[in-house]
Amino acid sequence: MARKVFLMVFLGLFAANLFAIDNSETSAAQNDKEGYVLLDRLVGMFQKMAATGTGGREKVEPAIGEIMADAKKAYSEKQIDPVFFRSFNRLLMVIKLTIIEDNEGILGPLIEQEVGEFVADVKGIKIDVTEKNSIGAVADAISQGILNLHIYLDTKKEREKLMEEWEKKFEAEAKKVKKEKMNCE
């Protein structure tokens, strides 16, 4: 239980610093507004718990359920895209798996696999989630996951422009190669 409280406090403190950054670019991205709202709600939940010293599974689980319901609604209304939705869903799943009490050990292998894969995907390292010192790596991976989603929304338009530039470049190269082949024959 102490590990879970540490996780909540760590996430709250990290998230408070993360969203203290100037969000002037985020207001320009009106199409992704709901994504920012969902991230703010998730971070706000941890900030509130860290500030009040409350939390635990009894408070986190219903809050995550409400946030996920709103994410599903936003996705069905096309306010968030599939990439954001899937990543956000995975993030909430990992948080829920991290706080779940599994005294009988029935979900242990599932928790170890999913949380371990999440940490490996986000941080690039494999950890044994059954070790006591793994909670810091899990909390850091969750914080980085939140940051990655924020960066995804911030850079979405720039990535679309970059993809268009690459497509034009590759089209020009393909035409050049095709022309060279025709000249050789």
Side-chain angles (χ1 to χ4, degrees), residues 31 33-35 37-38 41 64-82 84-86 88-89 92:
N31 292 344
K33 180 182 176 190
E34 191 61 29
V37 169
L38 290 166
R41 284 187 56 204
I64 287 177
E66 290 174 14
I67 293 170
M68 190 62 215
D70 290 344
K72 287 179 181 178
K73 182 181 177 205
Y75 179 65
S76 69
E77 294 174 357
K78 300 194 184 312
Q79 294 175 332
I80 56 175
D81 65 19
F84 180 88
F85 178 74
R86 183 169 170 88
F88 190 72
N89 185 33
L92 293 181

Side-chain angles (χ1 to χ4, degrees), residues 100-183:
I100 202 165
E101 289 190 25
D102 184 33
N103 297 332
E104 299 82 20
I106 297 169
L107 297 174
L110 173 70
I111 294 169
E112 291 171 26
Q113 178 183 349
E114 292 300 323
V115 174
E117 284 181 13
F118 179 78
V119 172
D121 290 347
V122 173
K123 295 184 55 74
I125 60 170
K126 288 192 171 221
I127 63 163
D128 181 359
V129 296
T130 61
E131 292 180 6
K132 288 186 179 186
N133 61 356
S134 68
I135 195 68
V138 174
D140 188 43
I142 291 170
S143 298
Q144 285 186 23
I146 293 169
L147 178 62
N148 289 344
L149 281 171
H150 203 282
I151 291 170
Y152 170 77
L153 293 175
D154 286 348
T155 62
K156 194 172 174 182
K157 293 203 184 305
E158 289 83 15
R159 285 181 291 115
E160 290 171 3
K161 290 176 188 174
L162 183 59
M163 184 59 82
E164 288 174 12
E165 290 174 12
W166 281 355
E167 287 173 357
K168 288 177 185 176
K169 179 182 176 183
F170 292 129
E171 284 176 13
E173 283 294 319
K175 287 179 183 178
K176 182 179 174 183
V177 169
K178 188 175 181 180
K179 186 175 180 180
E180 289 175 3
K181 278 186 175 182
M182 292 178 116
N183 289 339

